[in-house]
Amino acid sequence: MKGLFCRAGATDAEPKFIIQETILPDVLTSHQVRVQVKACGLSPLDLKLLSDVGIQRDLIPVGREVAGVVLQVGPKVTFFQPEDEVVGILPLDSTCSGLCDVVDIDEHYLVQKPEKLSSVCVAAALRDGLSAYTALHTHARIAPGHTLLVMDGGSSFGLMCIQLACYHGVKVLTTSHSPQQHTFLEQLRPSVARVIPVYNNSSDLLPVVLEETGGLGVDIVIDSGVRLQEEEEEDEEKKLLPHKHDIISVLGVGGHWVTSHQDLQLDPPDCRLLHLKSASVSFLNPEVWTASSAQQGRYLHILKDIVEKMSTGVLRPQPEEAVPLYEATVAMETIQRHPKKKAVVQL
């Protein structure tokens, strides 16, 4: 049985992705479920995070968002039985690659997949759905009447945030990174209040936000990365990211900034402005759900709610064209270099 694995470089060299033969144990442990994988989503590997939590292997399994059918259950499994359709995210310390034909996973990381929801669709969007849910509910605690600014709303994660927020009666503003994205976002239904283009070196973000909010600023900002320094413009993708001062400036009193930037640095003037607004910052790391079992029940509730909302059309991810297993290595190399790109492998 073949799976996709990563051989991390000894220094800062790019990691290498390889197809490797692997075998499963003959006997399942008490709460394990054996799943035949139908589709697996590919997301960038955070090698630093794995090192920080003490996971160091020569070969790191790749592909963790899986959808499939239960083949066999352990002696103490109570949630599932053979032939159930399931979906879930393999934990960080899993030894299985989600691109194997069959994987073993603890029942507490899986939920039932609605029959009419395609395996490819849910495997491609599950991680971004979880991130959006974590940002909006766990961190920002959205409520009807709030005003939300989603940076880069055309990305898979941004789209999930917009759709989830609109469902809860939140007024949504978003930014677009290209003319095509701008047209797509303006045609979304339910519609967003304003799409702000940032691809023409525009500095209109603050005045447009203040215009839309009556000069008050937004209650919540969700970014997908920020620029820490003004001169950090050698990368075309980074040019489109907002500067940290812009984000703090658009926050209203008591506002909340949810950031995906791991190495965020706030200078004393930034902190002073946040203090004056009594605003807060939180860091989005959706891996905490599988890295710790402290809130296992809540995590399963979130996963179940995400797949149900996908099934009923509340969450409508952009369709991803499935790639075959033999193209997974190239697809993963692309995703590792460009983390906002998505891919899903159909098995």
Side-chain angles (χ1 to χ4, degrees):
M1 185 171 63
K2 292 181 178 178
L4 183 64
F5 293 83
C6 169
R7 179 175 283 126
T11 56
D12 290 336
E14 282 194 5
K16 287 184 167 53
F17 296 96
I18 56 173
I19 301 287
Q20 184 92 352
E21 286 288 339
T22 181
I23 56 172
L24 293 176
D26 295 331
V27 181
L28 292 172
T29 59
S30 298
H31 290 280
Q32 274 190 326
V33 176
R34 185 154 289 175
V35 177
Q36 181 178 5
V37 180
K38 297 293 186 185
C40 175
L42 297 179
S43 299
L45 275 181
D46 190 337
L47 298 172
K48 188 174 186 304
L49 173 65
L50 291 171
S51 175
D52 288 344
V53 297
I55 298 173
Q56 293 180 330
R57 298 192 184 105
D58 292 334
L59 292 175
I60 300 165
V62 175
R64 293 173 45 218
E65 304 94 69
V66 296
V69 179
V70 175
L71 296 176
Q72 187 183 346
V73 297
K76 293 186 179 180
V77 171
T78 56
F79 293 167
F80 306 103
Q81 55 190 13
E83 298 188 11
D84 281 349
E85 291 191 85
V86 294
V87 60
I89 300 177
L90 296 171
L92 279 171
D93 60 353
S94 172
T95 57
C96 293
S97 163
L99 276 77
C100 294
D101 292 332
V102 180
V103 297
D104 291 345
I105 179 172
D106 192 286
E107 65 172 330
H108 300 107
Y109 294 113
L110 294 169
V111 293
Q112 298 272 2
K113 181 182 79 66
E115 189 176 342
K116 64 180 181 180
L117 184 61
S118 84
S119 296
V120 168
C121 174
V122 70
L126 187 63
R127 181 185 177 88
D128 288 313
L130 176 64
S131 297
Y133 208 109
T134 306
L136 290 170
H137 288 286
T138 308
H139 290 304
R141 304 195 180 277
I142 59 165
H146 277 164
T147 305
L148 165 71
L149 173 61
V150 178
M151 309 305 295
D152 191 13
S155 65
S156 179
F157 166 62
L159 186 60
M160 293 285 105
C161 289
I162 290 170
Q163 292 173 347
L164 192 58
C166 287
Y167 173 77
H168 288 286
V170 172
K171 179 180 179 179
V172 179
L173 314 176
T174 188
T175 61
S176 58
H177 283 192
S178 69
Q180 294 80 12
Q181 267 194 18
H182 193 85
T183 303
F184 168 74
L185 291 168
E186 286 193 323
Q187 293 173 347
L188 276 181
R189 295 294 179 269
S191 59
V192 298
R194 188 78 172 262
V195 182
I196 308 166
V198 296
Y199 48 85
N200 291 327
N201 296 321
S202 172
S203 57
D204 292 341
L205 184 64
L206 180 57
V208 172
V209 169
L210 293 180
E211 177 190 333
E212 285 290 334
T213 58
L216 298 176
V218 296
D219 300 298
I220 305 156
V221 177
I222 297 177
D223 72 41
S224 54
V226 295
R227 280 185 297 136
L228 300 181
Q229 306 294 335
E230 288 290 359
E231 64 269 15
E232 195 179 279
E233 292 187 354
E234 70 284 352
D235 189 325
E236 284 297 323
E237 289 183 9
K238 284 184 178 178
K239 280 185 183 180
L240 298 172
L241 295 176
H243 190 267
K244 58 182 178 178
H245 185 74
D246 295 335
I247 292 183
I248 297 171
S249 299
V250 301
L251 278 175
V253 171
H256 195 90
W257 173 15
V258 182
T259 182
S260 301
H261 200 294
Q262 298 180 15
D263 304 315
L264 182 67
Q265 298 174 357
L266 295 178
D267 301 317
D270 301 323
C271 296
R272 178 65 180 164
L273 188 51
L274 285 167
H275 170 74
L276 288 171
K277 296 186 176 194
S278 191
S280 56
V281 182
S282 60
F283 291 85
L284 177 61
N285 176 18
E287 298 294 358
V288 295
W289 296 112
T290 57
S292 167
S293 58
Q295 300 190 54
Q296 197 75 48
R298 190 176 183 189
Y299 171 59
L300 288 178
H301 171 78
I302 291 171
L303 282 190
K304 186 177 179 181
D305 199 36
I306 290 167
V307 296
E308 284 179 355
K309 282 183 167 59
M310 286 188 194
S311 176
T312 57
V314 173
L315 296 177
R316 302 175 309 285
Q318 287 183 277
E320 296 289 340
E321 187 176 343
V323 300
L325 179 61
Y326 64 83
E327 291 183 9
T329 304
V330 175
M332 193 61 208
E333 287 171 353
T334 303
I335 288 168
Q336 195 68 20
R337 286 194 297 270
H338 306 282
K340 290 184 183 179
K341 289 188 180 293
K342 302 296 295 181
V344 59
V345 178
Q346 190 166 17
L347 301 173

